[in-house]
Amino acid sequence: MSDDVTVNAFFDEVGGQAFFERLAHAFYQHVTADDVLAPMYPPDDLPGAERRLALFLTQYWGGPTTYSQERGHPRLRMRHMPFKVNPEARDHWLTCMRLALDELAPAPAARAAFDDYFDRAAHAMLNTFDA
Ligand code: HEM
């Protein structure tokens, strides 16, 4: 079976890679308007950051593995070490993601799965309590 054929029902039902591209796009609209988060992201490579998030989420939720082909093993906690992810940043990140999910309005069961996942993932990314 070729790489781009998915057998993941959840991934298909939610709308496939296009869903995660739209989610990452909506998320970054909020990030760039957020006073805590905006300064943390590369101003000259926001489309790149958006693409990395879309590809990671696509892979995580059962779609094509382009993310790891381009970036290797996700090692997300390690990749976030250069950034100060304190409780405030985490909460702003989660707010941006929830707003993006509100806009895309996936079916309730999918929304519950995303809320649960993003909540756990964002809490796991915390790497400092410094203000
Ligand atoms: C908790 C607060 C978080 C903050 C403040 C944060 C911040 C950042 C920043 C500043 C970057 C660099 C942008 C880039 O050039 O790609 C980044 C990258 C990334 N973040 Fe986060 N992040 C957070 C949580 C998360 C979570 C929960 C996920 C996944 C569910 C995630 C997934 C990613 C991915 C996939 C990348 C790109 C990694 C790569 O270089 O390949 N982040 N994040």
Side-chain angles (χ1 to χ4, degrees):
M1 186 180 294
S2 80
D3 273 344
D4 54 1
V5 174
T6 175
V7 291
N8 186 297
F10 180 92
F11 182 76
D12 286 343
E13 275 167 30
V14 85
Q17 184 157 343
F19 172 85
F20 293 100
E21 286 168 358
R22 288 166 56 220
L23 183 64
H25 186 70
F27 171 76
Y28 271 101
Q29 301 285 108
H30 293 292
V31 163
T32 50
D34 186 286
D35 55 345
V36 171
L37 297 179
M40 298 174 70
Y41 287 84
D44 54 345
D45 190 24
L46 284 171
E50 181 180 313
R51 183 167 185 274
R52 288 186 279 279
L53 180 61
L55 289 179
F56 170 78
L57 293 175
T58 292
Q59 172 172 306
Y60 180 87
W61 290 96
T65 55
T66 316
Y67 176 86
S68 279
Q69 285 161 28
E70 292 188 3
R71 307 285 292 164
H73 189 288
R75 300 187 204 285
L76 281 192
R77 230 185 106 68
M78 187 199 76
R79 288 191 204 267
H80 285 77
M81 284 304 174
F83 313 113
K84 197 162 92 177
V85 184
N86 62 14
E88 184 187 36
R90 174 199 64 201
D91 292 346
H92 280 239
W93 194 101
L94 272 173
T95 297
C96 290
M97 186 52 80
R98 288 184 188 128
L99 289 169
L101 285 165
D102 288 347
E103 286 158 29
L104 268 70
R111 175 63 192 254
F114 288 134
D115 281 341
D116 181 58
Y117 165 71
F118 284 122
D119 198 62
R120 281 185 292 109
H123 280 74
M125 226 56 85
L126 189 76
N127 57 27
T128 181
F129 284 96
D130 291 351

